Amino acid sequence: MTRKPAAASFARQVMGEAGIGIALIALFVVFAVSAPKFATSANLTNIATEITLNTMLAVGMTFVILVGGIDLSVGAVMALSAVVSGEILTAKGLPPIAAIALAVLAAAGVGMLCGLVNGYVSERWRVPSFIITLGMLNVARGAALQYTDAKTLYDFPPAFTRFGTSTVLGIPSLFWIALLMVAVGHLVLTRTVFGRLVFAIGGNEEAVRLSGHRTSAVKVAVFVIAGLAVGIAAITYMARLSIASPIIGGGYELSAIAAVVIGGASLSGGKGSMVGTLLGACLLGVLTNGLLLMGVSDFQRQIITGGVIMVAVVVDYYRDKLASRLTPLG
């Protein structure tokens, strides 16, 4: 009686996180053979650095997608968070430690506030989240440009920029923060009542509502969490590149969505994991880096990356069909 459910669970795992892991390893081997500089320690450090931002944004995006939502504003909100905190970092008269602490709080606060507006408006007036967040994309981008008069901020405290380029055990410090975010997100989704509600709402929101839970509060909360992740990503960007520009983040929302989808999440909600999201972000980072080292042009890289996303969606479709066939009817 338990063979078919066990087989269904095994199929989901093999074609899900395990499948992505196998694909990532295979891709790594291909590039290691094809591009001699790919497997060097310096390039591996570059890959870790490059996927840090996308991993952070994808962590927040995972929560949103799990409830069946989407957030198209993360790139613009990241720019707004960066310029607000950048003003604090460049303010005269503030001790460096105080300026850094206030800047981190400001970036997180701006991101969470934008997330709150996204979630509240979407739920209060029952408007699809992609429409609301598309509006927020323009609001946040315009606000960032207006706030700085379209100028780039720089000259941050040395301690701040040193941290952005530091390493721990040979791995960029910023990547460790991204891994910590993945770990915390994983624990929230798998070990808390809130996490179970996130999955349940994505699977059947009406059933959760009829059971007495406030689904709107949970859905607003996931957008706030996504905003917090954006704020952390903004600080990370600034620490790494030592600038805060109102035009950063263009297209970042698409990369974050791609990482979540490649990681096995369903855009209709109710299915996905933080481990899968991390693997999806790693796969995209390895793919981009490897193609670059092989001399593939920007246009061709976009085509290949888009094709990978399309394949991931198709694989997701067949994974569900296979799992449903292995699940007993009665």
Side-chain angles (χ1 to χ4, degrees):
M1 295 294 293
T2 60
R3 287 184 179 179
K4 286 188 176 181
S9 176
F10 179 75
R12 290 191 185 97
Q13 183 177 7
V14 169
M15 297 189 69
E17 295 165 5
I20 302 164
I22 293 171
L24 178 60
I25 293 172
L27 195 63
F28 187 93
V29 171
V30 169
F31 285 135
V33 173
S34 305
K37 295 183 179 180
F38 177 82
T40 63
S41 59
N43 189 59
L44 295 180
T45 300
N46 288 337
I47 294 175
T49 302
E50 290 167 2
I51 67 176
T52 294
L53 279 178
N54 195 28
T55 300
M56 291 178 171
L57 294 175
V59 165
M61 189 68 74
T62 301
F63 280 93
V64 174
I65 289 178
L66 283 174
V67 297
I70 204 78
D71 190 347
L72 300 178
S73 67
V74 295
V77 172
M78 182 176 135
L80 180 59
S81 300
V83 296
V84 171
S85 55
E87 285 283 0
I88 296 173
L89 285 173
T90 56
K92 304 298 182 182
L94 278 177
I97 298 300
I100 294 171
L102 289 174
V104 171
L105 291 176
V110 170
M112 293 172 72
L113 178 60
C114 292
L116 177 63
V117 172
N118 284 336
Y120 179 79
V121 173
S122 178
E123 285 303 299
R124 175 65 177 80
W125 286 280
R126 299 298 176 182
V127 181
S129 58
F130 80 89
I131 296 177
I132 296 302
T133 56
L134 181 62
M136 179 59 75
L137 181 155
N138 288 280
V139 170
R141 183 69 69 189
L145 290 165
Q146 178 68 34
Y147 187 72
T148 61
D149 195 23
K151 296 178 181 177
T152 298
L153 305 175
Y154 53 92
D155 195 21
F156 300 146
F160 181 73
T161 54
R162 279 199 303 270
F163 176 75
T165 57
S166 64
T167 60
V168 176
L169 301 177
I171 298 174
S173 300
L174 298 178
F175 185 65
W176 284 113
I177 297 176
L179 292 180
L180 177 61
M181 291 174 63
V182 171
V184 172
H186 175 74
L187 290 176
V188 170
L189 288 177
T190 60
R191 297 290 187 269
T192 68
V193 174
F194 175 81
R196 289 193 289 271
L197 284 174
V198 168
F199 280 105
I201 290 172
N204 191 333
E205 181 177 355
E206 184 64 14
V208 177
R209 187 184 66 80
L210 292 175
S211 68
H213 295 285
R214 295 180 59 194
T215 60
S216 293
V218 175
K219 293 177 77 173
V220 171
V222 299
F223 279 96
V224 175
I225 292 172
L228 174 59
V230 171
I232 297 173
I235 286 292
T236 298
Y237 183 97
M238 296 163 60
R240 174 188 166 195
L241 298 180
S242 302
I243 62 168
S245 170
I247 62 173
I248 65 172
Y252 281 23
E253 59 280 345
L254 301 180
S255 296
I257 294 170
V260 179
V261 172
I262 291 174
S266 170
L267 288 175
S268 60
K271 185 179 65 179
S273 71
M274 283 297 167
V275 174
T277 292
L278 173 61
L279 292 174
C282 290
L283 192 147
L284 282 175
V286 168
L287 180 64
T288 301
N289 181 273
L291 292 174
L292 181 64
L293 290 180
M294 290 179 66
V296 178
S297 70
D298 290 341
F299 303 138
Q300 292 172 328
R301 289 204 304 272
Q302 290 183 30
I303 294 172
I304 294 172
T305 302
V308 169
I309 296 171
M310 295 172 68
V311 169
V313 174
V314 173
V315 168
D316 181 67
Y317 170 79
Y318 282 105
R319 176 178 57 194
D320 284 346
K321 291 196 68 173
L322 177 59
S324 64
R325 288 180 179 179
L326 292 172
T327 302
L329 297 176

